[in-house]
Coordinates of all heavy atoms in Angstrom, one line a residue:
Q4 N 0.0 -14.8 -9.3 CA 0.8 -15.4 -10.4 C 1.6 -14.4 -11.2 O 2.0 -14.6 -12.3 CB -0.2 -16.1 -11.4 CG -1.1 -17.1 -10.8 CD -0.3 -18.2 -10.1 OE1 0.7 -18.8 -10.7 NE2 -0.6 -18.6 -8.9
E61 N -7.1 -15.9 14.1 CA -7.9 -17.1 14.7 C -7.0 -18.4 14.5 O -7.1 -19.2 15.4 CB -9.2 -17.3 14.0 CG -10.2 -16.2 14.3 CD -11.5 -16.4 13.6 OE1 -11.7 -17.4 12.9 OE2 -12.5 -15.6 13.8
L67 N -0.4 -10.4 16.8 CA -0.5 -9.0 17.1 C 0.3 -8.6 18.3 O -0.1 -7.7 19.1 CB -2.0 -8.5 17.2 CG -2.8 -8.5 15.9 CD1 -4.2 -8.0 16.3 CD2 -2.2 -7.7 14.9
A93 N 6.5 29.0 -6.7 CA 6.4 30.2 -5.7 C 7.2 31.4 -6.2 O 6.8 32.5 -6.1 CB 6.9 29.7 -4.3
V103 N 2.4 42.6 -11.9 CA 1.1 43.1 -11.9 C 1.0 44.4 -11.1 O 0.4 45.4 -11.5 CB 0.1 42.1 -11.3 CG1 -1.3 42.7 -11.0 CG2 0.0 40.9 -12.1
S109 N 1.8 51.9 -13.1 CA 1.9 52.7 -14.3 C 0.5 53.3 -14.7 O 0.4 54.4 -15.2 CB 2.5 51.9 -15.4 OG 1.7 50.8 -15.7
E117 N -7.0 59.8 -10.4 CA -7.1 58.7 -9.4 C -5.9 58.8 -8.4 O -6.0 58.5 -7.3 CB -7.0 57.3 -10.1 CG -8.3 56.9 -10.8 CD -8.2 55.5 -11.3 OE1 -7.2 54.9 -11.2 OE2 -9.3 55.0 -11.8
S132 N -5.0 44.9 0.2 CA -4.1 43.8 0.5 C -3.0 43.7 -0.5 O -3.2 44.0 -1.7 CB -4.9 42.5 0.5 OG -4.0 41.4 0.7
S133 N -1.8 43.4 0.0 CA -0.6 43.3 -0.9 C -0.6 41.9 -1.7 O 0.1 41.8 -2.6 CB 0.6 43.3 0.0 OG 0.7 42.3 0.9
L172 N -3.2 37.1 -16.1 CA -4.3 36.3 -15.4 C -4.2 34.8 -15.7 O -4.3 34.1 -14.7 CB -5.6 36.9 -15.9 CG -6.9 36.3 -15.2 CD1 -6.8 36.6 -13.7 CD2 -8.2 37.0 -15.7
D239 N 10.0 8.9 6.1 CA 9.2 7.9 6.9 C 8.7 8.5 8.2 O 7.7 8.0 8.8 CB 10.0 6.7 7.2 CG 10.3 5.9 5.9 OD1 9.5 6.0 4.9 OD2 11.3 5.2 5.9
A274 N 5.6 10.1 21.5 CA 4.4 10.5 22.3 C 3.2 9.8 21.8 O 2.3 9.5 22.7 CB 4.3 12.1 22.1
A283 N 7.4 1.0 22.4 CA 8.1 1.5 21.3 C 9.6 1.0 21.3 O 10.3 1.4 22.2 CB 8.0 3.0 21.2
T289 N 20.1 9.6 15.8 CA 21.5 9.6 16.2 C 21.9 8.4 17.0 O 23.0 8.5 17.6 CB 21.9 10.9 16.9 OG1 21.1 11.0 18.1 CG2 21.6 12.1 16.0
K309 N 26.9 16.7 31.7 CA 26.3 16.2 32.9 C 25.1 17.1 33.2 O 25.1 18.3 33.1 CB 27.2 16.2 34.1 CG 28.4 15.2 33.9 CD 29.3 15.3 35.1 CE 30.5 14.3 35.0 NZ 31.4 14.4 36.2
D315 N 18.6 21.6 38.1 CA 18.1 21.9 36.8 C 19.2 22.7 36.0 O 18.9 23.8 35.6 CB 16.8 22.6 36.8 CG 16.2 22.7 35.4 OD1 16.6 22.0 34.5 OD2 15.4 23.6 35.2
C319 N 29.2 21.5 31.4 CA 29.9 21.2 30.2 C 31.3 20.6 30.5 O 31.7 20.7 31.7 CB 30.1 22.4 29.3 SG 31.2 23.6 29.9
G338 N 1.8 20.0 13.2 CA 1.1 20.7 14.3 C 1.5 20.3 15.7 O 1.0 20.8 16.7
I341 N 6.6 21.1 20.4 CA 7.8 20.6 21.2 C 8.1 21.7 22.2 O 8.4 22.8 21.8 CB 8.9 20.3 20.3 CG1 8.5 19.2 19.3 CG2 10.1 19.8 21.1 CD1 9.6 18.9 18.2
D350 N 29.7 32.5 31.8 CA 30.9 33.1 31.3 C 31.7 32.1 30.5 O 32.3 31.2 31.1 CB 31.8 33.7 32.4 CG 33.0 34.5 31.9 OD1 33.0 34.8 30.6 OD2 33.9 34.7 32.6
R367 N 27.6 30.3 25.6 CA 26.9 29.1 25.0 C 25.5 29.0 25.5 O 25.2 29.1 26.7 CB 27.7 27.8 25.3 CG 27.1 26.5 24.8 CD 27.3 26.4 23.3 NE 26.5 25.4 22.7 CZ 27.0 24.1 22.6 NH1 28.2 23.8 23.1 NH2 26.2 23.2 22.0
R370 N 19.3 24.4 23.5 CA 17.9 24.2 23.6 C 17.7 22.7 23.7 O 18.2 21.9 22.9 CB 17.2 24.7 22.3 CG 17.3 26.2 22.1 CD 16.5 26.6 20.9 NE 16.7 25.8 19.7 CZ 16.0 25.7 18.6 NH1 14.8 26.4 18.6 NH2 16.3 25.0 17.6
M373 N 13.3 18.1 27.1 CA 13.5 17.1 28.2 C 12.6 15.9 27.9 O 13.0 14.8 28.3 CB 13.1 17.8 29.5 CG 13.8 19.0 29.8 SD 15.6 18.8 29.8 CE 15.9 17.8 31.2
G391 N 14.8 -6.6 23.6 CA 14.8 -5.5 22.6 C 15.8 -5.6 21.5 O 15.5 -5.3 20.4
M445 N 2.9 -21.9 4.3 CA 3.0 -22.4 5.6 C 2.1 -23.7 5.9 O 2.5 -24.6 6.6 CB 2.7 -21.3 6.6 CG 3.7 -20.2 6.6 SD 3.5 -18.9 7.9 CE 3.8 -19.8 9.4
K448 N 3.7 -26.7 4.2 CA 4.8 -27.2 4.9 C 4.4 -27.9 6.2 O 4.9 -28.9 6.6 CB 5.7 -26.0 5.3 CG 6.5 -25.4 4.2 CD 7.5 -24.4 4.6 CE 8.3 -23.8 3.5 NZ 9.2 -22.7 3.9

Side-chain angles (χ1 to χ4, degrees):
Q4 304 301 314
E61 289 179 1
L67 289 182
V103 171
S109 64
E117 285 189 354
S132 175
S133 60
L172 186 58
D239 294 334
T289 58
K309 295 179 181 179
D315 189 20
C319 71
I341 300 175
D350 184 17
R367 178 73 188 272
R370 298 187 308 167
M373 305 305 293
M445 293 184 68
K448 287 182 179 179

